[in-house]
Amino acid sequence: MSVTTKATIASFGGKLLKLSHAAKSTKCEMNFNLYLPPQAATQKVPVLIYLSGLTCTADNCSEKGFFQHGASKKGIAVLYPDTSPRGLEVPGENDAWDFGTGAGFYVNATKAPYDNGYNMYSYVTEELPQTVFAAFSQLDSSRVSITGHSMGGHGALTLFLRNPGKYKSVSAFAPISNPINCPWGQKAFSGYLGDDQQKWKEHDATELIKQWKGPLDVLIDVGTGDNFYKQGQLLPENLEKAAKEAGVEGVKVRYQPDYDHSYFTMATFSDDHVEHAAKYLLQ
Amino acid sequence: MSVTTKATIASFGGKLLKLSHAAKSTKCEMNFNLYLPPQAATQKVPVLIYLSGLTCTADNCSEKGFFQHGASKKGIAVLYPDTSPRGLEVPGENDAWDFGTGAGFYVNATKAPYDNGYNMYSYVTEELPQTVFAAFSQLDSSRVSITGHSMGGHGALTLFLRNPGKYKSVSAFAPISNPINCPWGQKAFSGYLGDDQQKWKEHDATELIKQWKGPLDVLIDVGTGDNFYKQGQLLPENLEKAAKEAGVEGVKVRYQPDYDHSYFTMATFSDDHVEHAAKYLLQ
């Protein structure tokens, strides 16, 4: 459970820590970043988990997402996990940018050879938080929210919907909202989970929301200039439609004119997503 | 004077334009970025020029500096020039990271072979603004301020001090404040200007401030965790001392505890520098 500190960087009055640990669930050393806001020096602070998209590491959003700006004002820590195991040398894991390394899709792989370490679901929901809370006593393990971008938006929505009560709130940027019906999701789920599409549905936000009971308050931003949205990889309308048909209220998708799939979009709206999380983390 | 638009990116309610033009002063196609705040859609807006540091292009600060955040609130455009000519194939220009390509030092080279195109002083003070104001009528050419980081901080201070009245205000992050007395500056000035150190002084903020007449209000942020500050490449104390001895008031250096030389520092304090410029640009 020990954590190695690789760098400590002053940011918005707090500290961005570049960390790593030997992870059992993913069978490799995993890098991650943790932003400690200034308030963490004197009190326990809640945690917002940010799940990154395809090809990204913990660093991209730490550098370009601007979450530290809002988190430093609200007194919320931000935990940035990596997007897959790295260096396992699973055959084919480096052959594509949208599968394997950098593309763990926040599931536990059940299909060989990826079942040997591609367990980002267990890693993000259990091992990483347990490791972080054991190492950083200034974090309040009872107050955790989750957000993410693209593949990480899929991760945030599915982890939230699969674990009622585990996270205080959820939001997403350009989430892959219905992976069983888009090329990215179909490729990932067939490769990690095999051909049984019933298993795929257990990791599809549009399918999961049909089973949701109780209140919901999901903030989603999607840019109308996002090429992956235009290509049908994100399908937020399917999530909205499924929620409506299931009588689940509180799925708010904001279609932001002209915004693209990049971190420029995240930087623009990250304050809103921190604010959304703060409503529930700081009650 | 024509400008080519390579990308238009939505950012903080405005647009970040990635542009290029055939520059006469530097004898090559030059890339640059321009952020147009939302206010530029309906009114003329002033311009803050941001000069980048060693190895950087116009993109680094556009992605990681968060100037767009403050500029969008204030209604100020941000112009991000490149840091040198590129592709001139001057012998040796790519041999080092701190000289030649990406390291133009905002001077006009007088020493061969760099006198053939390394004219970043003329490019930034004359050709680029003339090109931009001709292409974008929503920019107010009578209201321009300047700032920058490291080598770009040197550029901002020296361009401001050499051209009284040309810029409404100046600020800098971790500026190379006394280049004639630091390794980076000595290497650059000897390579671009030759051995006559009297010529070097014409591009040294600490020397130039001794000649300044009238009021001055310079905001400078330097991180105490900045390795280049610790190595004596920045020497802001020399600038402060020279100003004090010359009876020039208004040089405010904020030594920010633990902050380093990176864009994390810029992101943290860029709002302050936009605010500083806004005091003079929005009068």
Side-chain angles (χ1 to χ4, degrees), chain B residues 119-223:
Chain B
N119 297 311
M120 290 301 290
Y121 180 83
S122 293
Y123 176 72
V124 170
T125 56
E126 301 298 336
E127 185 173 12
L128 178 60
Q130 288 167 11
T131 301
V132 170
F133 290 126
F136 297 93
S137 60
Q138 59 270 66
L139 302 180
D140 183 348
S141 62
S142 71
R143 291 182 291 153
V144 180
S145 284
I146 193 163
T147 186
H149 173 235
S150 195
M151 175 184 73
H154 144 74
L157 293 171
T158 55
L159 269 53
F160 179 89
L161 293 169
R162 285 170 60 95
N163 298 278
K166 187 177 186 69
Y167 305 104
K168 298 292 188 185
S169 68
V170 62
S171 73
F173 294 86
I176 302 172
S177 305
N178 189 194
I180 66 173
N181 288 317
C182 79
W184 276 342
Q186 290 163 348
K187 179 178 182 178
F189 288 177
S190 60
Y192 294 133
L193 304 176
D195 297 333
D196 180 357
Q197 300 202 5
Q198 285 306 315
K199 295 293 183 186
W200 296 14
K201 292 182 177 179
E202 297 172 9
H203 296 278
D204 183 290
T206 296
E207 292 296 321
L208 289 167
I209 205 161
K210 298 174 183 175
Q211 317 304 327
W212 185 262
K213 302 285 179 266
L216 195 60
D217 179 12
V218 185
L219 172 63
I220 296 175
D221 280 312
V222 178

Side-chain angles (χ1 to χ4, degrees), chain A residues 9-16 18 62-66 68-69 73 257-260 262 264-265 267-268 271, chain B residues 9-16 18 62-64 66 68-69 73 257-260 262 264-265 267-269 271:
Chain A
I9 302 165
S11 173
F12 289 103
K15 296 189 182 309
L16 179 70
K18 295 195 175 189
S62 303
E63 296 174 355
K64 299 190 285 188
F66 209 27
Q68 284 97 279
H69 176 264
K73 290 183 174 177
D258 301 333
Y259 282 86
D260 65 16
S262 76
F264 287 107
T265 301
T268 300
D271 276 0
Chain B
I9 303 165
S11 173
F12 289 103
K15 295 189 182 309
L16 179 70
K18 295 194 176 189
S62 304
E63 296 174 355
K64 301 189 284 187
F66 296 111
Q68 284 98 276
H69 176 263
K73 290 184 175 177
D258 300 333
Y259 282 85
D260 64 16
S262 77
F264 287 108
T265 300
T268 301
F269 299 108
D271 276 0

Side-chain angles (χ1 to χ4, degrees), chain A residues 196-272:
Chain A
D196 180 357
Q197 300 201 5
Q198 285 306 313
K199 296 294 183 185
W200 297 12
K201 293 182 176 179
E202 298 172 9
H203 296 278
D204 182 292
T206 297
E207 292 296 322
L208 290 167
I209 206 161
K210 298 174 183 176
Q211 316 304 326
W212 185 262
K213 301 286 179 266
L216 196 60
D217 180 11
V218 185
L219 172 63
I220 296 175
D221 279 313
V222 178
T224 63
D226 183 327
N227 286 330
F228 296 119
Y229 168 60
K230 296 175 186 176
Q231 292 166 17
Q233 295 280 19
L234 308 181
L235 304 173
E237 294 88 351
N238 293 9
L239 179 66
E240 291 179 289
K241 183 170 180 287
K244 188 175 182 182
E245 291 177 356
V248 177
E249 297 182 344
V251 177
K252 181 180 183 183
V253 181
R254 306 190 303 187
Y255 294 90
Q256 303 287 3
D258 301 333
Y259 282 86
D260 65 16
H261 202 68
S262 76
Y263 284 92
F264 287 107
T265 301
M266 232 118 30
T268 300
F269 300 107
S270 56
D271 276 0
D272 293 352

Side-chain angles (χ1 to χ4, degrees), chain A residues 100-264:
Chain A
T101 301
F105 263 85
Y106 307 103
V107 300
N108 290 341
T110 54
K111 181 181 177 183
Y114 291 91
D115 57 345
N116 187 21
Y118 275 72
N119 297 310
M120 289 302 290
Y121 180 82
S122 293
Y123 176 72
V124 170
T125 56
E126 300 298 336
E127 185 173 10
L128 178 60
Q130 287 168 10
T131 301
V132 170
F133 290 126
F136 296 93
S137 60
Q138 59 270 66
L139 302 180
D140 183 347
S141 62
S142 72
R143 291 183 290 155
V144 180
S145 285
I146 192 162
T147 187
H149 173 235
S150 196
M151 176 183 73
H154 145 75
L157 292 170
T158 55
L159 268 53
F160 179 88
L161 293 168
R162 286 170 58 95
N163 297 279
K166 188 177 185 70
Y167 304 104
K168 297 294 187 186
S169 69
V170 62
S171 72
F173 294 86
I176 302 173
S177 305
N178 189 195
I180 67 174
N181 288 316
C182 79
W184 276 342
Q186 291 163 345
K187 179 178 181 177
F189 288 178
S190 60
Y192 294 133
L193 304 175
D195 298 332
D196 180 357
Q197 300 201 5
Q198 285 306 313
K199 296 294 183 185
W200 297 12
K201 293 182 176 179
E202 298 172 9
H203 296 278
D204 182 292
T206 297
E207 292 296 322
L208 290 167
I209 206 161
K210 298 174 183 176
Q211 316 304 326
W212 185 262
K213 301 286 179 266
L216 196 60
D217 180 11
V218 185
L219 172 63
I220 296 175
D221 279 313
V222 178
T224 63
D226 183 327
N227 286 330
F228 296 119
Y229 168 60
K230 296 175 186 176
Q231 292 166 17
Q233 295 280 19
L234 308 181
L235 304 173
E237 294 88 351
N238 293 9
L239 179 66
E240 291 179 289
K241 183 170 180 287
K244 188 175 182 182
E245 291 177 356
V248 177
E249 297 182 344
V251 177
K252 181 180 183 183
V253 181
R254 306 190 303 187
Y255 294 90
Q256 303 287 3
D258 301 333
Y259 282 86
D260 65 16
H261 202 68
S262 76
Y263 284 92
F264 287 107

